[in-house]
Amino acid sequence: MLFDKNIEPRCVYCQRAAPLREGQMMCVKRGIVSCSGSCRRFRYDPLKRVPPKPLSASFAHLRDEDFTL
């Protein structure tokens, strides 16, 4: 869920952090930190989060009889 209240704190999703290099963020409060890090000042920014792609449906197990009335 994009707007889940119980999101795991990570610097990647924080309002106070900006991307610096791959795997690193520039935090206003702590300086250069890793993307997986977090601190007490975490503020969730939903626009920074990229949700996982939904699973594609597999209809291979269905037969033609399943679609007739």
Side-chain angles (χ1 to χ4, degrees):
M1 294 174 56
L2 187 60
F3 298 105
D4 188 11
K5 291 184 180 184
N6 297 323
I7 191 78
E8 180 182 343
R10 288 188 178 179
C11 291
V12 175
Y13 311 136
C14 186
Q15 290 177 346
R16 296 183 171 104
L20 185 62
R21 292 184 208 112
E22 188 175 325
Q24 293 184 335
M25 302 290 287
M26 176 57 99
C27 180
V28 173
K29 298 291 183 180
R30 297 183 73 198
I32 299 174
V33 295
S34 71
C35 289
S36 61
S38 67
C39 67
R40 294 183 309 168
R41 303 282 187 189
F42 175 77
R43 294 283 179 245
Y44 180 57
D45 184 3
L47 299 178
K48 287 187 176 182
R49 184 158 181 251
V50 178
K53 291 188 176 192
L55 298 173
S56 61
S58 175
F59 300 110
H61 65 281
L62 298 175
R63 300 174 305 215
D64 290 337
E65 295 85 32
D66 295 330
F67 296 100
T68 59
L69 294 177

